[in-house]
Amino acid sequence: MTDIRSFEGPKEAGFGDFVQLLKPRVMSLVVFTAMVGLLVAPVGLHPVVGFTAILFIALGAGASGALNMWWDADIDAMMRRTKGRPVPAGMVQPGEALAIGVALSGISVVMLALATNLLAAGLLAFTIFFYAVVYSMWLKRSTPQNIVIGGAAGAFPPMIGWVAVTGSLSVEACLMFMLIFMWTPPHFWALALFMNEDYSKAGVPMLTVTHGKRVTRNHVLGYTLALIPFAIGLGFTSIGGPVYLAISVLLNAEFLRGAYKIWKRDEVIAEADKYKVEKAVFRFSLLYLFLHFGALLVEAVLHAQGLGGW
Amino acid sequence: MAFPIPEHEIHRRRFSRNLGVGLALVSFVALVFALTVVKVTQGDMGHANDAPGMLGSTVPIAPEEPAPAPASPAVQP
């Protein structure tokens, strides 16, 4: 006789599962960088409008995260890092993830347009499209350069924050974009070096899988070198200043040192110490970005006091 | 009024979901209201005013002057 109590139907998702669908950790980075982009802009914005703008930029990022989880549920289920996500874990049905992603995309773009301006809303719509379609659907499974091009999606928030206030693009907004855009490859490849198994199993053509770890190590150093001019160059614009420049020089020196150490190592040494350097560089890369945008915020506060800047 | 105490894991999850969605909707309404108040008090009603037919519209609903009647073919050379 079958025990009907042992039947396992679809799991019941709690509110937290739907929050997880929006990738809250990515959203926190988006909130921070968009907020900095908004606060360092040369004109002011009413706090309610500013809050609304940041909220819907973050919600747009969350929506693209939900669309990404809907599309990538099959490979997420194969990777240790992602198999606990709500869709592969069976907490949220794929159709629900798609519906939430599409609905929140529409709401966030329309609300940003109403709160600020059409250019900011257009950039947000493009960001969602770029992450969900260009990165997730087209690039991620087809080219080892997925991280490089897909990094643009994560680089847009400070630019959108700036445009939400000023209504136009500028060299400062573009350099903030480039800072995140160029930071993404060494950040993710440092992770891929010690998470290689996951990507191989899922068949995601990460550089470590298609070209090997030696080439990846070369790329980490190359992209770190290419990142430095943008990071330091931002210090010479209207939103930079001596404080930002000093912090940026120190951070870039340390990041370059880490990238150099990664480049110098080979697999035998890395496996022997369980990728100690790669893990340290990955962790430092998070701090690197946080402190760069934090320094911009410090400069903005100093500007407001009549200090800082050039 | 007290909410009924969820008795099973499924009910707890369902309750948390309903509560979360309810709070999100209330917050959204409050936000739209606050945004409207700010936009109205700042006189920043660009979007609404740009729509034809709205009060204070910059787009005329109809031409101020009637268009001149086309010349009769008979008087043309």
Side-chain angles (χ1 to χ4, degrees):
Chain A
M1 201 177 100
T2 311
D3 184 356
I4 199 162
R5 284 171 300 180
S6 68
F7 170 75
E8 285 229 2
K11 290 175 186 166
E12 193 79 27
F15 189 67
D17 294 313
F18 289 103
V19 173
Q20 287 303 315
L21 204 59
L22 308 183
K23 297 192 178 180
R25 276 169 61 188
V26 176
M27 271 171 87
S28 63
L29 187 67
V30 168
V31 166
F32 180 62
T33 55
M35 186 184 73
V36 172
L38 197 134
L39 291 176
V40 301
V43 279
L45 198 63
H46 192 284
V48 172
V49 180
F51 173 78
T52 309
I54 292 168
L55 180 73
F56 287 106
I57 293 169
L59 203 64
S64 63
L67 292 171
N68 168 271
M69 283 201 200
W70 160 69
W71 184 258
D72 279 346
D74 56 338
I75 54 173
D76 280 351
M78 292 181 213
M79 296 198 281
R80 192 158 42 94
R81 190 172 66 86
T82 54
K83 68 180 178 190
R85 286 177 173 176
V87 180
M91 300 309 295
V92 175
Q93 297 305 303
E96 290 176 320
L98 173 64
I100 287 172
V102 171
L104 290 185
S105 298
I107 290 170
S108 56
V109 170
V110 170
M111 285 303 295
L112 190 64
L114 291 172
T116 60
N117 56 66
L118 286 174
L119 182 58
L123 280 171
L124 181 64
F126 181 71
T127 305
I128 296 168
F129 169 78
F130 198 90
Y131 188 66
V133 178
V134 177
Y135 171 69
S136 301
M137 297 183 187
W138 295 347
L139 298 173
K140 189 172 177 181
R141 301 177 195 221
S142 59
T143 167
Q145 295 300 312
N146 49 16
I147 286 304
V148 181
I149 309 164
F156 273 112
M159 182 185 259
I160 301 172
W162 176 281
V163 171
V165 182
T166 62
S168 61
L169 288 169
S170 67
V171 70
E172 291 87 351
C174 293
L175 281 173
M176 283 191 284
F177 173 91
M178 287 307 294
L179 175 60
I180 303 181
F181 182 67
M182 297 305 292
W183 164 88
T184 308
H187 164 75
F188 265 104
W189 283 329
L191 171 76
L193 280 169
F194 60 88
M195 283 285 189
N196 194 31
E197 257 180 49
D198 259 10
Y199 293 114
S200 311
K201 218 183 331 174
V204 177
M206 285 295 277
L207 199 63
T208 44
V209 178
T210 58
H211 291 72
K213 291 190 177 179
R214 180 67 260 160
V215 173
T216 307
R217 289 174 191 280
N218 297 344
H219 275 62
V220 168
L221 181 62
Y223 273 90
T224 305
L225 284 168
L227 160 70
I228 293 171
F230 295 108
I232 293 179
L234 193 54
F236 295 102
T237 64
S238 69
I239 58 172
V243 175
Y244 172 88
L245 199 61
I247 292 173
S248 181
V249 167
L250 289 174
L251 289 171
N252 280 286
E254 181 58 25
F255 200 24
L256 184 60
R257 199 169 71 93
Y260 178 74
K261 278 161 79 177
I262 286 182
W263 178 70
K264 282 284 280 181
R265 283 153 68 87
D266 59 23
E267 273 317 288
V268 180
I269 302 171
E271 277 178 15
D273 66 5
K274 294 181 179 162
Y275 296 94
K276 195 175 160 193
V277 171
E278 288 78 2
K279 286 176 182 171
V281 171
F282 173 73
R283 279 195 302 272
F284 179 76
S285 68
L286 290 166
L287 190 70
Y288 173 95
L289 198 67
F290 176 77
L291 289 180
H292 264 97
F293 278 88
L296 287 176
L297 212 51
V298 170
E299 285 289 355
V301 172
L302 290 174
H303 270 282
Q305 307 296 320
L307 304 162
W310 297 109
Chain B
M1 193 192 95
F3 287 110
I5 300 163
E7 69 273 25
H8 189 272
E9 173 66 17
I10 282 183
H11 297 116
R12 265 200 298 278
R13 286 178 170 276
R14 201 172 287 169
F15 178 73
S16 91
R17 199 174 63 201
N18 293 341
L19 188 66
V21 171
L23 288 176
L25 286 174
V26 169
S27 308
F28 182 69
V29 170
L31 187 68
V32 170
F33 179 71
L35 194 62
T36 307
V37 170
V38 169
K39 291 273 179 185
V40 169
T41 49
Q42 285 190 331
D44 179 18
M45 293 295 287
H47 292 92
N49 279 350
D50 287 345
M54 294 296 288
L55 284 176
S57 168
T58 53
V59 182
I61 300 166
E64 300 280 331
E65 297 287 326
S72 161
V75 292
Q76 281 182 350

